[in-house]
Amino acid sequence: MSEVASPVEKEPLESVEDEEGSKYTTSRLELWSYYVYYIGNNGLSGFNFGPSQFQNLLYLAGYDPKDPPFVTPCDDACVLPYLGRVRDINSIVLLTNGISFALQAVLLLFIGAWADYGRWRPNITIFFTILAVAVSFAWLGVDDPSQWRAGIALYILGLITYQCSLTFWTAAFPGLARDLPEVKASLEEVKDGRKTLHEHTTLTSLSRNRISNMSFTICSAGEIIILAIMVGILKGLKSDESTENNTKSFSVLIAFSGGVWLLCALPWFLFEKRRPGLSLPPGTSLLTVGFKQTYVAFCECMRLKQTFLYLIFYFLMGDVLNTTVTVIATLQNSVVAYSTLQLTLLLIVGIVTQGLGIYLFWLVQKRFKISTKAMLMFNVFWIIILTIWGLIGVHTDKFGFKHVWEIWLYQAFYGLLVCPWYAYSQTMISEVSPLPQMFLFFALFSVVGKTSAFIGPFVSSAIISAANDNDNMPFAFLFGLGVFSTIFLWMLDVDKSRVECEEFIRAEAERKAFEANPHMTSAYTGDAETKLA
């Protein structure tokens, strides 16, 4: 493989393709619209306050199983009738999460395959965003414990719409990076023989990291303002004065978050360029191609060895991080019960440090031109340190998320050193996935991530029970799993992955799985003349 692309004689057709491609150059307005969207889709409605309100309603509606049904309010034990039997409210939450995950998996995989075809993909994000906002406003009508069943429906819809919106919004950033003016100019230099292909791929990778990291940083800055306004709302609603006020405040905050999301989403809806995707092969339709391409993606992941290595790592380390956060939340609740106001103040600390941490990571990466993999390895080290922190608490009450001051310190540590995972792990997906089928592969990784988040808590629960209710014992398992998963990231070769993805796209085109357009030909550069294999 030659590093320098030789000059190619220009054909008349190329001028047409150049003119077509210039329409999709990423403008500053489009890029900032992308950033601003994430300020709205920050997870406060569907991922933070929505689940908190759901669990709050369950607890207030439940009863102590030691006495007849609905006679004694919940204390240490709390149950409700659900799906044909009386269940502990924690069990209800887990089952509801399972239902939500199953629905998400089906939607993400099949819609993810469809999203790679044609120009209609922005409509997917628009649809799920509008539905998510509607769910947020619907919480205004659910603020009484007797409405806990309605809360289940809104909880499930909130999680699904949040995750689907986030997945398809995220999957757009590799295309934005490819069409940045400086990246397109670099590609022309490669064609003219003035730059090596390796230099161009390095620039492309840094551009992807820039968009991913700046998205999180700008989201964090916007989220701080949103949370500050929420503190004022909570003061006005006097949320700390009674249980009723606290419950009503949750619903108001969810609705407010939904309104902000809609406002921040409008620029992206208006200014996102509808870049062409793949063309459907003869004899297929959108109704059948989704099932077909999802099956192909699972099968081809075994052939895309580097992609498969990262898929294993992503599953295992995602399980470690998600479960670690869940176990810490359990310990946190045993230390102090948080009101809506206290939860909001904790979130502010976490978001401030998150924005600072991700931006500092990016500054270091940009200054020294560090690879995505190296940055991710450094980030993973701190995730493992987090499990060691909890592991210390197995045999002592002096440390290990046992004190209020540790919870506040954890928020700062998590934001500064752990949260960059959410940026770099997503960028790495783009590094090991073929550009023409980026939406499908992002959907696949999203499902894998959700699977790990679903399995981890069950394993932790079993470990706690076997360890005589020692809530810190899961950290022993999480530490070992974290170290083991890092082996797969260390084995990953990004350069080999780019070649494998190029060969995959060529094979798919030869068997007429799709018809590529000039804007979507190479697995990494998007250009037919600068392929990596």
Side-chain angles (χ1 to χ4, degrees):
M1 179 182 69
S2 175
E3 270 202 337
V4 181
S6 59
V8 180
E9 183 181 347
K10 305 292 183 184
E11 298 179 10
L13 180 61
E14 276 200 354
S15 62
V16 178
E17 292 175 357
D18 290 344
E19 184 179 344
E20 177 75 7
S22 66
K23 294 194 307 184
Y24 306 112
T25 299
T26 303
S27 66
R28 189 174 181 83
L29 179 61
E30 183 184 21
L31 189 58
W32 273 92
S33 297
Y34 181 81
Y35 292 153
V36 169
Y37 177 91
Y38 198 29
I39 296 176
N41 186 12
N42 50 45
L44 288 177
S45 57
F47 197 70
N48 291 111
F49 290 115
S52 296
Q53 175 70 315
F54 172 55
Q55 294 177 59
N56 178 51
L57 291 175
L58 290 179
Y59 182 80
L60 295 175
Y63 62 89
D64 193 321
K66 292 183 294 186
D67 297 316
F70 302 104
V71 172
T72 306
C74 293
D75 189 16
D76 292 332
C78 191
V79 298
L80 277 170
Y82 184 64
L83 296 180
R85 55 170 290 190
V86 174
R87 303 176 189 272
D88 181 84
I89 61 170
N90 290 327
S91 174
I92 293 175
V93 172
L94 286 173
L95 285 171
T96 307
N97 280 340
I99 295 169
S100 172
F101 164 74
L103 295 173
Q104 285 179 49
V106 173
L107 286 171
L108 285 170
L109 287 177
F110 295 119
I111 295 178
W114 296 335
D116 286 311
Y117 292 86
R119 300 172 187 258
W120 73 295
R121 67 186 69 174
N123 297 337
I124 302 174
T125 305
I126 293 172
F127 170 77
F128 281 113
T129 300
I130 292 175
L131 186 56
V133 171
V135 170
S136 298
F137 284 119
W139 275 106
L140 287 173
V142 181
D143 57 4
D144 186 270
S146 63
Q147 299 170 303
W148 66 272
R149 290 181 178 84
I152 290 174
L154 294 181
Y155 175 65
I156 292 174
L157 282 172
L159 287 177
I160 291 173
T161 53
Y162 164 71
Q163 191 62 49
C164 289
S165 300
L166 182 63
T167 298
F168 292 111
W169 167 83
T170 304
F173 85 87
L176 290 174
R178 174 199 58 202
D179 286 334
L180 286 169
E182 59 269 30
V183 174
K184 297 182 80 169
S186 172
L187 186 60
E188 290 304 314
E189 290 179 12
V190 173
K191 292 181 181 180
D192 293 339
R194 291 179 286 129
K195 177 181 280 191
T196 66
L197 197 50
H198 175 73
E199 290 172 328
H200 176 70
T201 56
T202 299
L203 174 64
T204 302
S205 179
L206 284 173
S207 298
R208 290 181 177 183
N209 277 285
R210 167 193 154 200
I211 294 175
S212 180
N213 284 291
M214 289 305 297
S215 297
F216 278 88
T217 302
I218 292 168
C219 171
S220 299
E223 201 171 348
I224 292 166
I225 297 172
I226 295 170
L227 289 169
I229 296 172
M230 285 181 169
V231 172
I233 293 173
L234 292 172
K235 292 289 187 182
L237 293 172
K238 301 178 180 178
S239 62
D240 283 343
E241 290 190 1
S242 68
T243 301
E244 290 77 13
N245 285 3
N246 192 59
T247 302
K248 182 179 179 63
S249 296
F250 268 124
S251 293
V252 171
L253 293 186
I254 296 168
F256 175 72
S257 299
V260 172
W261 188 353
L262 180 60
L263 187 65
C264 293
L266 290 176
W268 180 238
F269 293 169
L270 295 173
F271 300 118
E272 180 188 6
K273 293 181 172 68
R274 292 182 174 254
R275 294 172 173 82
L278 302 170
S279 299
L280 287 171
T284 61
S285 68
L286 284 175
L287 293 177
T288 58
V289 76
F291 294 91
K292 181 179 179 181
Q293 287 306 105
T294 300
Y295 172 76
V296 168
F298 274 111
C299 293
E300 292 299 334
C301 257
M302 302 299 294
R303 286 177 51 194
L304 296 170
K305 295 182 177 60
Q306 306 306 314
T307 306
F308 189 60
L309 281 175
Y310 185 64
L311 190 69
I312 296 173
F313 164 77
Y314 188 78
F315 174 82
L316 295 176
M317 185 53 71
D319 188 23
V320 170
L321 180 55
N322 289 323
T323 308
T324 297
V325 171
T326 300
V327 174
I328 292 173
T330 303
L331 294 167
Q332 178 176 300
N333 291 332
S334 66
V335 173
V336 60
Y338 292 105
S339 67
T340 48
L341 179 59
Q342 290 170 313
L343 177 61
T344 304
L345 292 173
L346 259 183
L347 279 172
I348 290 175
V349 172
I351 297 304
V352 168
T353 53
Q354 168 187 296
L356 184 60
I358 291 174
Y359 189 62
L360 288 175
F361 266 61
W362 164 237
L363 288 180
V364 172
Q365 182 184 22
K366 181 174 69 170
R367 172 68 178 81
F368 298 102
K369 291 183 169 53
I370 304 172
S371 69
T372 306
K373 176 184 172 181
M375 295 300 295
L376 191 56
M377 289 285 287
F378 180 70
N379 172 242
V380 164
F381 169 78
W382 295 108
I383 295 174
I384 293 174
I385 291 296
L386 190 62
T387 64
I388 294 173
W389 183 348
L391 185 58
I392 294 172
V394 170
H395 298 296
T396 180
D397 290 329
K398 295 181 179 180
F399 197 69
F401 309 109
K402 304 292 183 73
H403 308 279
V404 174
W405 65 266
E406 279 190 280
I407 303 303
W408 289 93
L409 180 61
Y410 156 70
Q411 286 291 333
F413 178 92
Y414 180 77
L416 283 170
L417 298 167
V418 176
C419 278
W421 158 268
Y422 299 105
Y424 285 101
S425 64
Q426 296 299 305
T427 306
M428 184 57 80
I429 293 173
S430 76
E431 296 284 319
V432 298
S433 300
L435 187 60
Q437 294 187 299
M438 193 64 73
F439 283 77
L440 173 58
F441 276 82
F442 262 90
L444 174 62
F445 273 90
S446 182
V447 170
V448 168
K450 298 303 291 185
T451 303
S452 67
F454 181 64
I455 293 174
F458 284 109
V459 176
S460 296
S461 178
I463 292 173
I464 290 171
S465 298
N468 298 318
D469 296 328
N470 188 325
D471 289 335
N472 284 72
M473 189 56 74
F475 289 112
F477 165 73
L478 295 170
F479 168 72
L481 185 61
V483 173
F484 174 70
S485 68
T486 307
I487 296 172
F488 294 96
L489 180 60
W490 176 75
M491 293 170 60
L492 174 65
D493 188 321
V494 176
D495 290 331
K496 282 186 180 179
S497 177
R498 291 169 183 165
V499 174
E500 288 176 357
C501 287
E502 205 75 77
E503 293 171 345
F504 165 71
I505 291 301
R506 184 188 300 123
E508 288 289 275
E510 288 175 353
R511 72 180 188 84
K512 299 191 183 300
F514 54 75
E515 292 184 3
N517 63 70
H519 197 63
M520 191 76 72
T521 308
S522 168
Y524 194 77
T525 66
D527 187 87
E529 300 171 30
T530 51
K531 295 183 179 181
L532 293 163

